[in-house]
Amino acid sequence: MTSKIIANGILRALGVVAAIALLLVFIYKIQSVIIYIAISVVISLTGRPIVLFFRKRLKFNNLLAVATTMLLLLGFIVGLVGLFIPLIVEQGHNLSLLDINQLQLNIENIYNEISRHFNLKPLHIEESFQESGILSHINFAIIPEFLNYLVSGFGSFSIGLFSVLFISFFFLRDSKLFENSLLTLIPDSKVGRVKHSFEKIKNLLSRYFVGLIFQISVIFIIYTIGLLIVGVQNAVVIAFLCALINLIPYLGPVIGGVIMILLTMTSNLGANFSDVILPETLYVLIVIALGQLIDNFISQPIIFSRSVKSHPLEIFLVIIIAGLLFGILGMVIAIPTYTALKVVLKEFISDNKVVQKLTKNL
């Protein structure tokens, strides 16, 4: 091997590394666009059954079906914004979501009430907490961070919303647009299989995302009715927030339950702990338990069995691994990504025994 060949090899390797670095920088610079496209894909997959309903059942032409679907989606989004943003802004102080110092003070007061009620020697415990510095290291801003981001970034949200709706419209109108763009990179011999994979993935993910909307809606209704019966202040906002957080697999219900209990207890400061705060908190726990029982034994089995067609243990392991590798975002996108991967594997390496086992229900 001559020095010229070695030098050429080194130059090619450097060129590849430089190209990869430039690609990563480019992706980083346009990450907002990538996010818009990803959200638009989800919206188009969710709206796909509605478009098909208008086209096949009501005999709308494609443009009218897409326009009607987009108007419905836009009306839904405007309704959410019109309903919840003013409530969040107006009731932020009452919810202790925008006043972090007040929230911390409320939690400490609740802690003192609990200590006195259950005879937990509050002075000794308080001194231990103060000496350990645990309370000073707790970041209470985690709870309101999401809502504050939405309120303060309304301008960026408006631009993003317009971009997402614009892209979604064309994805729905030209359902093959995204697919055909990717097919230009595929060899002709693989085009047939890739097209079949795309169609299968679209059908599965459409059912999955529609199922998620059904899941959130069921939890939201249960939480809202339960909190209204209990008499919790700002029940609709709290129910919607906790139902939305439920999208995070496994951790979401826990986080949502903690937030619901915390907001319930801190909204009744000044009331008698034994007669008001404690009974109301127990009722809220019952509401949470009821919502999660229905979600775990009815909603989720319907979604997973009819859409992604995967075993619950299989789903659990995939979500846990994705969470360890990529955090919360990995847990959220784990199921749709894994479903798409299974379809591709079945189409291209269906002879493999492991693939046959994993994809036997697809």
Side-chain angles (χ1 to χ4, degrees), residues 27-39 163-164:
I27 292 174
Y28 176 77
K29 292 293 184 180
I30 65 166
Q31 58 181 320
S32 297
V33 178
I34 295 175
I35 293 173
Y36 295 158
I37 293 175
I39 296 174
S163 302
V164 167

Side-chain angles (χ1 to χ4, degrees), residues 44 47-69 171-176 199 202:
S44 63
R48 185 168 176 263
I50 304 175
V51 173
L52 294 176
F53 172 79
F54 285 139
R55 285 168 52 187
K56 294 181 178 180
R57 297 295 181 88
L58 302 182
K59 306 301 180 182
F60 286 9
N61 61 46
N62 186 55
L63 182 59
L64 181 58
V66 172
T68 306
T69 301
F171 278 175
L172 282 171
R173 194 191 72 171
D174 304 318
S175 59
K176 303 290 184 180
E199 196 63 29
K202 285 194 293 186

Side-chain angles (χ1 to χ4, degrees), residues 267-300:
S267 64
N268 285 317
L269 287 180
N272 184 277
F273 181 80
S274 301
D275 298 332
V276 178
I277 298 178
L278 184 58
E280 188 170 287
T281 303
L282 293 176
Y283 291 142
V284 170
L285 282 172
I286 295 173
V287 172
I288 295 171
L290 178 63
Q292 290 307 311
L293 284 173
I294 293 176
D295 181 51
N296 291 325
F297 291 101
I298 298 177
S299 300
Q300 288 190 21

